[in-house]
C-alpha cells in the first residue's frame, strides 16, 4: 500500500494536483490520490481527475462563500475518511478551512501559497509582490493551522521578479516552482521525515 | 571623476563596506568612497577605512541611542556634503535615520537589510526567520524612506535555510549574498539605471 493516501481539494485547474499525479506516476512519490473534491461544479481539476481515473466529486459548500464549514465540512470529512485518506492536500482550494477539518486530520492538511510567507499572505499574492516592488517572489508549502497562510512551513522556493513582469508572467514563473515544491513536501511526509516543533518544521534527510 | 561619490555610515565591522571597496578596486563599480562615518568610536569599519586610505571619522550621535537626529544629524550631513558625497550608504549603521538626512540626499540613501522584506523587518531578522521556520531567507538593498525597512527595493537575494542552522550560520550565509547585492545595487545607481515609480524600482538593463 502506498505510504500516503491523499485527498485533494481544489477549485480551479488542478495544475498542482497534476504535479502530484506526475510524481506518483513517475514513481518518485510513494502516494495514492484516493479522492478529489471540488467546490466548483465545472472545475477543471475534476476533468483532470477523470482523465487519470481518480475518484472525484463536486461537493457544494453552500451556504458559505469563502469557507468550508458546517454541514459541508462534515460531508467533505465523511467522504475523505470513507476513501481512506490520511492526508489532505489543498491544491488551489479557494476557501478557508476550519478547525473541524484540522481536527479530523491533525498535522495532515497541507496548502501551497504563491508567496514567500510570511510575506504576502491572502489573495493574489503575486500581484501583491509586484505592487510592493519585491525583487524576489516564490511559493510556500505549509501545514495548515487555524490562521490564514500562517502554518508551519515545509518547503519554500524562490523566483526572481523580472523587469517588465505582469501579474500573469510572475504567476506563471511561481507556478513552475509550485509544481516542484508540492511533490517535494509530500515526499518528506511520505518518508516520515517531518517533525513539527513549535512552528518550525524539521526535516530529517 | 567616478560616477558615484559615496558616504558610508556604519556601526560595526564594515564587511558590507568592504564588498563595495573590493568592487571599486576591481574596477566593477564606478564609485568613490569620499567619507566613512561611524557612531561607535572603536567600530572596526574605521580601521578598515584606514587600511584603504579612506577619509574616516567617529561622530557621536549622543544624546540619541537609536536614531540619527538633531545636532548629530546636522553634523553628519555637514561632513558628508563637505566631502562631496552624493549618495549615502548605510552599511550596518544601527540607527534609524530621520527626514533631515533623507531631505539632504533625496532618493540617495541606501540600506541593506538581512531579510527578504517585507518579511522580517527590524532587528536580528535572520533569527526571526529561523524562529518563524522560514525555509528561504535572504537580503534586501533598498532606498530608505521614512519607515523602518520599508523603502523601495532595488535588489533582493535569497539563500536556503538549512536543517541545523543556527542564527550564526544562517547570518553568515546571508552575508555572502549581502556582499554581492550591495555592489550590484550601486552598479545600477552608477549606471543611472534606476527609476522609482510609487514604491517600485524599475531597472533599465
Amino acid at each position: 500500500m502506498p505510504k500516503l493516501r491523499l485527498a485533494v481539494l481544489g477549485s480551479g485547474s488542478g495544475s498542482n494536483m497534476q504535479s502530484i499525479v506526475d510524481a506518483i506516476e513517475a514513481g518518485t512519490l510513494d502516494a495514492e490520490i484516493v479522492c478529489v473534491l471540488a467546490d466548483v461544479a465545472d472545475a477543471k481539476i475534476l476533468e483532470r481527475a477523470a482523465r487519470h481515473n481518480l475518484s472525484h466529486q463536486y461537493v457544494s459548500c453552500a451556504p458559505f462563500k469563502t469557507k468550508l464549514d458546517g454541514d459541508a465540512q462534515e460531508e467533505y470529512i465523511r467522504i475523505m475518511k470513507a476513501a481512506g485518506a490520511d492526508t489532505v492536500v489543498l491544491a488551489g482550494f479557494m476557501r478557508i478551512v476550519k478547525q473541524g477539518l484540522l481536527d479530523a486530520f491533525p498535522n495532515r492538511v497541507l496548502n501551497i501559497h504563491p508567496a514567500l510567507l510570511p510575506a504576502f499572505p491572502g489573495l493574489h499574492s503575486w500581484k501583491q509582490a509586484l505592487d510592493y516592488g519585491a525583487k524576489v517572489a516564490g511559493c510556500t508549502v505549509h501545514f495548515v493551522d487555524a490562521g490564514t497562510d500562517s502554518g508551519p512551513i515545509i518547503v519554500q522556493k524562490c523566483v526572481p521578479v523580472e523587469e517588465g513582469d505582469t501579474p500573469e508572467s510572475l504567476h506563471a514563473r511561481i507556478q513552475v516552482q509550485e509544481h516542484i515544491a508540492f511533490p517535494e513536501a509530500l515526499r518528506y511526509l511520505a518518508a516520515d521525515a517531518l517533525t513539527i516543533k513549535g512552528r518550525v518544521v524539521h526535516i530529517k534527510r
Side-chain angles (χ1 to χ4, degrees), chain A:
Chain A
M1 196 161 99
K3 189 76 183 184
L4 296 181
R5 295 177 61 78
L6 307 175
V8 178
L9 276 51
S11 308
S13 85
S15 72
N16 272 306
M17 181 188 73
Q18 187 69 53
S19 73
I20 296 166
V21 169
D22 292 347
I24 293 171
E25 293 186 350
T28 63
L29 173 61
D30 188 15
E32 178 182 356
I33 295 177
V34 297
C35 68
V36 177
L37 301 178
D39 64 331
V40 175
D42 60 351
K44 288 269 189 293
I45 193 171
L46 295 173
E47 293 173 28
R48 269 190 218 266
R51 277 205 297 280
H52 290 275
N53 297 312
L54 301 172
S55 164
H56 62 281
Q57 198 172 336
Y58 158 66
V59 184
S60 166
C61 292
F64 306 109
K65 300 232 183 275
T66 60
K67 63 181 178 178
L68 174 62
D69 207 347
D71 290 347
Q73 177 182 249
E74 290 310 308
E75 179 66 1
Y76 272 74
I77 293 171
R78 192 193 61 72
I79 295 169
M80 294 190 286
K81 291 284 187 189
D86 56 32
T87 303
V88 180
V89 170
L90 305 181
F93 188 64
M94 300 303 285
R95 289 179 179 270
I96 305 289
V97 299
K98 309 296 285 185
Q99 197 60 43
L101 179 71
L102 303 180
D103 289 343
F105 296 92
N107 288 337
R108 282 292 190 164
V109 182
L110 277 70
N111 184 42
I112 190 157
H113 181 79
L116 294 172
L117 294 170
F120 311 123
L123 292 176
H124 306 301
S125 48
W126 57 91
K127 188 168 180 308
Q128 291 184 54
L130 262 189
D131 292 347
Y132 192 85
K135 298 302 185 194
V136 163
C139 66
T140 301
V141 181
H142 63 94
F143 289 111
V144 177
D145 68 6
T148 300
D149 302 324
S150 62
I153 293 169
I154 307 169
V155 171
Q156 292 186 303
K157 302 281 181 193
C158 47
V159 301
V161 177
E162 306 281 9
E163 189 61 35
D165 260 337
T166 60
E168 292 71 29
S169 66
L170 178 57
H171 190 200
R173 193 176 307 121
I174 292 170
Q175 282 181 312
V176 171
Q177 294 302 312
E178 289 183 26
H179 300 160
I180 296 168
F182 224 153
E184 180 177 326
L186 290 169
R187 226 169 266 134
Y188 294 139
L189 200 65
D192 264 334
L194 302 180
T195 52
I196 306 176
K197 203 170 161 184
R199 59 159 298 112
V200 177
V201 177
H202 291 282
I203 306 175
K204 195 170 54 197
R205 303 200 199 221

